[in-house]
Amino acid sequence: MAGSRLVDGLRAYRLIAWMWIRSTMAYRASFAMTLFGNFAGTVLDFVAILLMFSRVDQLGGYSLGEVAFLYGLSSAAFGLADLTLGSMDRLGQRVRDGTLDTLLVRPAPVLAQVAADRFALRRLGRITQGLLVLGYALVVVDIEWTPVKVLLMPVMMVSGAAIFASVFVAGGAFQFVAQDASQVQNSFTYGGTTLLQYPPTVFAKDLVRGVTFVLPLAFVNWLPALYVLGLPYPLDLPRWTAFVSPLVAVVCCGLSGLAWRAGLRSYRSTGS
């Protein structure tokens, strides 16, 4: 039964996303400009880091290449989650104006419909920019590559995207109750990726503990990335924590799924 629902959800998501892609590609010039705008906007984030390093040689004990490594991983992983689930922040508006009711009567999972709504290919700009910065970091940073480190690169990318995706879904579930909480959700999603773009050594230990043990964003890139770079772990954590990102991602996705189901059950129509 659960497998069937998953297949139905993926099929519904694919169909709705494809509809929006076709709509977008009907105006190719507009799409190209918005894609470039999204790319250029994210480039400014890294320009800010470059400006910092024009004044200092290291940031929190990290070189420019090492910070670029963190930045690229965080930006690319978040970009993947944002591409697939970035529309979740519109759920609060649907709850307030009652348009969520139209999704409830359709023969497709509500989560798939909400996630694929207004699917925006322009978000590929963030992914592209993150991968370019990561490529730069891989060129300038002297990493002692091993088979384990090579394998860990795609694993932490996919796991990081899944962790961010779970935050998107949990934020959507919270909007069933708060109704106007998109900015709260954005503080954990967009704010979270900005946090992870910088070394953990520049933040207070209480904050690092929070994003490690409470909202485990540190498993997106800090812990596995520091293993690849051969740098000390924050909070003196054991080195094996670099390999638990997939497990953390599975747990986060499971918990966010439960939160979503609870939020959907609590929904009461506006009656309009």
Side-chain angles (χ1 to χ4, degrees):
M1 182 66 70
S4 177
R5 287 199 300 268
L6 177 60
V7 171
D8 291 342
L10 292 175
R11 181 175 181 274
Y13 182 93
R14 178 177 59 82
L15 292 174
I16 297 171
W18 178 241
M19 177 190 70
W20 283 106
I21 291 173
R22 290 182 63 184
S23 175
T24 299
M25 297 310 293
Y27 304 93
R28 295 179 185 273
S30 175
F31 166 69
M33 288 187 290
T34 55
L35 179 64
F36 176 78
N38 185 270
F39 175 84
T42 55
V43 165
L44 294 178
D45 291 339
F46 191 65
V47 169
I49 294 176
L50 293 176
L51 291 175
M52 292 182 193
F53 276 93
S54 68
R55 297 295 181 182
V56 298
D57 295 327
Q58 291 188 330
L59 182 64
Y62 287 62
S63 66
L64 173 59
E66 291 165 344
V67 173
F69 189 81
L70 296 177
Y71 178 100
L73 284 171
S74 173
S75 186
F78 175 78
L80 288 171
D82 190 36
L83 176 67
T84 54
L85 291 163
S87 297
M88 294 297 295
D89 59 359
R90 295 190 179 93
L91 180 61
Q93 179 63 39
R94 284 190 173 276
V95 172
R96 291 195 304 275
D97 60 24
T99 56
L100 183 65
D101 293 0
T102 61
L103 306 185
L104 293 172
V105 298
R106 293 174 181 171
V110 177
L111 178 58
Q113 295 183 70
V114 174
D117 184 39
R118 299 185 182 276
F119 185 87
L121 275 180
R122 68 176 184 275
R123 296 184 176 122
L124 287 172
R126 179 184 293 273
I127 301 173
T128 303
Q129 187 259 357
L131 291 176
L132 288 174
V133 174
L134 179 60
Y136 160 78
L138 293 175
V139 171
V140 300
V141 178
D142 185 17
I143 299 175
E144 296 182 5
W145 290 106
T146 64
V148 173
K149 290 183 179 181
V150 172
L151 180 61
L152 192 59
M153 291 293 294
V155 169
M156 70 172 122
M157 187 82 69
V158 174
S159 299
I163 292 172
F164 273 125
S166 69
V167 178
F168 273 109
V169 174
F174 179 66
Q175 291 188 62
F176 280 114
V177 179
Q179 298 186 7
D180 190 15
S182 60
Q183 295 307 315
V184 175
Q185 176 179 332
N186 291 341
S187 67
F188 289 99
T189 52
Y190 290 92
T193 187
T194 301
L195 174 78
L196 297 176
Q197 290 168 359
Y198 294 89
T201 52
V202 304
F203 300 106
K205 286 190 175 182
D206 287 340
L207 178 60
V208 176
R209 291 190 185 96
V211 296
T212 302
F213 302 112
V214 181
L215 184 65
L217 295 177
F219 292 90
V220 171
N221 69 338
W222 277 353
L223 297 178
L226 295 184
Y227 174 84
V228 174
L229 295 173
L231 296 174
Y233 282 19
L235 308 177
D236 296 323
L237 293 171
R239 295 186 68 80
W240 57 261
T241 53
F243 305 100
V244 300
S245 292
L247 177 60
V248 172
V250 170
V251 172
C252 288
C253 288
L255 292 175
S256 65
L258 293 175
W260 174 263
R261 293 182 64 180
L264 191 59
R265 289 196 187 99
S266 69
Y267 172 69
R268 297 293 180 269
S269 174
T270 61
S272 59

